[in-house]
Structures are given as C-alpha cells and as structure tokens.
Amino acid sequence: CTNVFHHLSLSLEEAEGSFDDFTRSYMSYGVQRQANNSLMFREWAPGAQALFLTGDFNDWNSTSHPYTKKEYGKWELYLPPKRNKAPAIEHETKLKLVVLTSEGEELFRISPWAKYCHKHVDSNTYDWIHWDPIRPFLHQHTRPKRPRSLRIYEAHVGIASPAEEIATYTNFTLNVLPKIKDLGYNCVQLMAIMEHAYYGSFGYQVTNFFAASSRFGTPEDLKRLVDTAHSLGITVLLDVVHSHASSNTADGLNKFDGTDSCFFHSGPRGHHLQWGSRLFNYQSWEVLRFLLSNLRWWMEEYRFDGFRFDGVSSMLYHHHGIAMSFSGGYSEYFGMQVDEDSIIHLMLSNHILHTLYPDCITIAEDVSGMPGLCKPVKNGGLGFDYRLNMAVPDKWIQILKELKDEEWDMGNIIYTLTNRRKGEGSIGYAESHDQALVGDKSLAFWLMDKEMYTNMSSLIPMTPVIDRGIQLHKMIRLLMLHRLWGIGSLAFMGNEFGHPDWLDFPRKGNGESYQYARRQYNLLDPDNNLRYTQLYAFDRDMNLTEDKYGWLASQKKDKVIVFERANVMFVFNFHPSNSYSDYRIAAGPNGKYRIKLDSDAEQYGGHGRLDTDTEFFTVQEPFKGVNDQCPCMILLCFIHF
C-alpha cells in the first residue's frame, strides 16, 4: 500500500499541478461565479449522453441550457451576466440538472457539488438551491491551538433542545456552546452536518456532501456557530462520512449519470448489504477529487479543525466487518480481505490534511484494531491521530447488564480499558450516541432505570438504587474518561448529567414524534431541584481538574509502578536512567515496612546498595520511597509488620 500511495501521490501532482489545486476542485466544479458575474458550471457525468441545466431561472425548460461535453466525462456550461451585470442566476434560485441517459431517459438530479439543498414541506425530495449571498459570513476568530488534552463533547444540533422540534444552528450557538465551555470540554464533535434526506439516519446516510444540513439553518448560521466556538477556545470536529453514501437517486449521488457506477463500484461491490447504501470506488481519479476536495471544503469554507471519520472498519475490509469478531491476530488484518484502495484513500486523506493543516485532528471509528491505523503516513501507517476504542462502552454495558456488583472483575476491567496498541492515540469513553439510541440504554439508565423518572429530586432522601447509580456513574466516567486512557476522552451530549431517555428520531413507528429526539437541558434548571445538576457539577469539575493538571496528556515520565497486595508493597522503577529521592507514594496501614526483596541485591547480580536485613521505613504518612541510592530498573518489596 505504501508504494502504491507514493506512486499515486506523484501521479496526482504531475497531472493536476499540485495537491492543493486538486483538492480545491470545489472552486472549479459545480457552479462558480466569475469576476465579471458570469457563471461557469462544470460536472463529471461519464455515463450521460447529454446534460442540461434547468430551474426557476428558465421556467424549468429542461433543454434550453445544454452543457458542452469535454474530455474524461466532464461537462461545462457558461452563462454570461445579465445586461445589468448581475449574475444570470440569483442567490437562492432553485436548480436541477437534467441528465439524458444512453436509453434516452431524462433524469432530474442535484449537482454533487451543491452547496445548499432544501426540502419544502410538501415535497418528498430535496432541491438544489443556488447559494451565493451578497454578504457571506466572514470568520472573525482564528482556530484555537490544538488541545494538549482532548476532551470531546459529541453533539447533534437537531436534538440540542428540550423542545419537541428540530433545533437550529443558532440555538446551538446561543445555548449549547456556553454549556460546553462551562463544562470544561475543549472540543465539540458535530454529527449530522452533511446533508441527509432521512433525519432518522443520524446523518450517516449522506445525500449532499458539500451541503450543510438545511434542517438546522443556513450555511452562514453554521459558519457563525464554528466561529463562536473558536472565540470560546473550543476546537470543532466534523463527523465526516466517506465510508458510504445514501442510495437515494433523486437527491443523492446514486446513479447520478444514469449508470450503476459513476461515483461507486458497480455490481455487488458497490452496495453495503447491512446499511442499504452505496460504496465509493476509491480507485477512481474523479472520486478521489470529489472526496479529498470535500475535506478541504469543510476545512476552508467552514473552518472546521478536523474530522471524526465514520465507518472506517467498513472501509478497511471487503467484508466490511460484517459478522466478524476481531481477536487481534495479524491474519485478520493482512490478506485478500483487506481493501487496499480504501487504505490508500485514507492515507491520502490524512497526508493532505496533516500536510496542509499541521494542527488538524483526525479520529478513526474503527472497531477492528487495524495495526498502523494511527501511525504517520511517512512511517507506513494510515495517518490518523486517534482511534475510538469502541469495545470499552460495550464492556460497561455487559458488566451492568450481566453481573452483580460483587462479581465485578477488576483485572478484566483494567485489561479492557488499557487494551490498545502501543503508541496508538485512543479516545476513551463510557458511552457515545450509539448507547443512547432506542433499543439500548444509557449508562445512567442501566444504573437507575425507571427510578430516574420518580426519585431524582434533591428534596427527598436518595433511594438505594439512586444512591448506587449516582456514585457509580461518577466513578465510571472519571475512571474511563480521565484516569486510565491517558490520551483523550469523549462524552455524548446530555450523558454528562445522566440524561434519562433514549434517543429516537421521528418515524412511522413512533407516530413521527419528537418526544425522544431532544436533550432535556431543562432538567438542569436549579428551580427543579433535581440531582441531574449534581452529576453536571461533577462532570464540570472533573474536566476543569484535568485541564489544570493535564493528566490526559501526561507521558508518565517517571516510569514507576506501585501496587499493594496482602500488606505487601511493590515498587518498580523502570526508568532507563533516572533514580528518585523523596518519591511520595501511597502506603497501606501505618507502621514499619521492611524491605524483603530487592532486585538490586548482590546475590541477584545487583549492586547491593541497600541492606535488606536492616533497612526499613516507618509509615505515619504517605511513604517517601525509592531511595536515591537505588539504581534504576529495580523492584523493592516492602513487608508491613
């Protein structure tokens, strides 16, 4: 893959002039207003016999404005300005492409490069809306410095309100960003931004890749949201979906030019059987242009700071991870089942992003544990900064669902929390949006269940269920998000205060209800006297404490391990060069501790710096151990007596 990556990189630069030009193709495709207000349209539709532009501007005449066919399946149309020098097509004009297929059929399509799409209430499909405001929003604030400790608040704009309706970018800007700042999160990860015709898909069935979802407002509203986040010092990540695309034809990419291929593989390889969606042909030059330019578009036009790549496991393998249980054996990761085209595409994506934007953050949603996923591209890796460790929330659900408290296996918990490849950046979390979906339960609901609806008042004594639930909720989140991972953390909106309900988008099965498609921030109103405020306060202080001490980014430079078993204290110094004096560690019972086993003793081939028969320490406060006489890489075993 590395050799193919380098060859493809050189070929792209040679043919296109530079990576910068190639990945800015959104400036030449779709519709572009020129300096004299003329309009240039360009599309790639290799299977089309003819291409036309229609819309409000020509009374929906489907043949009056034909494109001219160019090389390599490209089509162009030039529209001069009006007599008054205004553009021939005004801002917010409704448009459609008319594709004439080889069978003579006329298909109405949306440009793949459309920057804004909208669906009227009485329509079943989205329309392409020409977006060219006279006064576009201009960003005022620079991007924040890349966080040293990444604390991510995973959020969905549409559900970010207690009201039973679709919330807006403006609501998020005014009401949610201040909460994120107050809670101490330094990064917000926005889901469902790329336009998707089906709201219930959670944004993962994308129809229009360059369009910000119009459900929540206009493109300018989203730009204002990102700019406001930057003013608060909050990094903004986009949940980007390049692993597949909606199978919609009228308002999506599917069969754009009338063929089964175009942007996708033809035949079975081009269809995801579980998701019912289309799979990109990453080997195609024009698909690379489209997807790589899509990343640049969100970075440049909206000023996002990076991406969480969805469905990476599906991309990496021809089997898409379906019915697979990865055990970690290398035969699972190297073989004919691996999709090399996808791997090279991901290498290109990360190479471009990290070369052009050194502080860009990329996170892979991968459950398989692919080796090299978070290694730099220059070292033969795929180039991601972090991998979401998706096995950990499943472990917590298993524990809470299947085990009694006294059956919890601490060793198994620690193993799961620390099970990652050496040097791999990982995002640890107890729960994300996956656990909030209908049919599952949030961490708080597993702990407290129906009592959350009746016994969360702070004006009444806590029941045993609420008491246990609140204490474990805090402990699990602190352990998971901040203690053992030492890399980065993530929380889904509302779960920081133990949101009581699951998440269910409007659909026929629930009567198109918005009752569960919302986050009840109103539960935090002090006048309600609910214990949700206590969980909120703990989450805030937990994040602020991490911000002060920075343990997520700590490299554990001392390389000392200390633990106690059966009144025996074990102290290991693995540092290759450092010894320590007055090194404070926690001790067990007060009293005297004698050194019973010293790996540095002469009889074991050591230097014999300590007399293990006479040396002992009296503990009346935390022990100040690892004497500075001791060389590095030793074990001291203290016995309490």
Side-chain angles (χ1 to χ4, degrees), residues 504-517:
D504 190 14
F505 286 91
R507 54 189 173 84
K508 290 182 180 179
N510 64 13
E512 303 295 338
S513 171
Y514 286 86
Q515 180 180 356
Y516 297 109

Side-chain angles (χ1 to χ4, degrees), residues 392-393 395-401 408 429-432 435-436 440-449 452 468-478 480-481 495-496 498-501 535:
V392 177
K395 170 57 68 175
W396 285 118
I397 297 302
Q398 178 204 356
I399 291 172
L400 296 175
K401 185 178 180 180
W408 288 26
Y429 59 104
E431 53 187 338
S432 68
Q435 286 70 43
D440 207 336
K441 294 180 181 180
S442 67
L443 186 65
F445 211 87
W446 275 112
L447 289 167
M448 294 176 278
D449 206 68
M452 297 187 73
R468 170 185 177 272
I470 285 179
Q471 310 320 322
L472 283 177
H473 189 272
K474 292 180 293 184
M475 291 175 65
I476 290 172
R477 288 179 65 81
L478 178 58
M480 255 314 305
L481 304 183
N495 288 351
E496 72 276 7
H499 196 280
D501 289 330
L535 293 175

Side-chain angles (χ1 to χ4, degrees), residues 20 108 117 226 309 397 405 424 433 472 482 498 612:
D20 189 49
F108 287 84
C117 296
V226 175
F309 282 73
I397 297 302
D405 290 359
E424 180 179 76
H433 70 272
L472 283 177
H482 292 289
T612 58

Side-chain angles (χ1 to χ4, degrees), residues 351-473:
H351 171 67
I352 289 167
L353 289 171
H354 288 115
T355 300
L356 298 175
Y357 312 97
D359 286 339
C360 179
I361 298 169
T362 60
I363 302 172
E365 188 210 25
D366 171 44
V367 72
S368 74
M370 167 66 79
L373 188 77
C374 296
K375 292 291 184 183
V377 173
K378 65 181 181 181
N379 294 338
L382 274 68
F384 286 99
D385 297 303
Y386 303 93
R387 181 175 71 89
L388 287 176
N389 195 295
M390 303 171 68
V392 177
D394 292 339
K395 170 57 68 175
W396 285 118
I397 297 302
Q398 178 204 356
I399 291 172
L400 296 175
K401 185 178 180 180
E402 300 177 2
L403 301 180
K404 299 177 182 178
D405 290 359
E406 56 269 22
E407 296 175 340
W408 288 26
D409 183 343
M410 296 297 108
N412 184 254
I413 292 174
I414 297 301
Y415 171 78
T416 304
L417 299 187
T418 57
N419 183 22
R420 64 178 185 272
R421 297 191 182 281
K422 181 180 179 180
E424 180 179 76
S426 297
I427 302 297
Y429 59 104
E431 53 187 338
S432 68
H433 70 272
D434 289 326
Q435 286 70 43
L437 291 174
V438 62
D440 207 336
K441 294 180 181 180
S442 67
L443 186 65
F445 211 87
W446 275 112
L447 289 167
M448 294 176 278
D449 206 68
K450 61 184 180 181
E451 287 202 24
M452 297 187 73
Y453 297 117
T454 56
N455 296 329
M456 286 295 279
S457 173
S458 59
L459 301 179
I460 62 174
M462 285 192 288
T463 66
V465 169
I466 296 298
D467 190 7
R468 170 185 177 272
I470 285 179
Q471 310 320 322
L472 283 177
H473 189 272

Side-chain angles (χ1 to χ4, degrees), residues 228-268:
T228 303
H230 286 168
S231 74
L232 297 172
I234 298 173
T235 295
V236 188
L237 304 182
L238 175 69
D239 202 342
V240 70
V241 186
H242 283 181
S243 51
H244 64 131
S246 168
S247 59
N248 288 19
T249 54
D251 48 16
L253 290 179
N254 191 21
K255 299 184 178 180
F256 169 68
D257 64 353
T259 69
D260 185 51
S261 52
C262 197
F263 288 93
F264 310 107
H265 289 291
S266 59

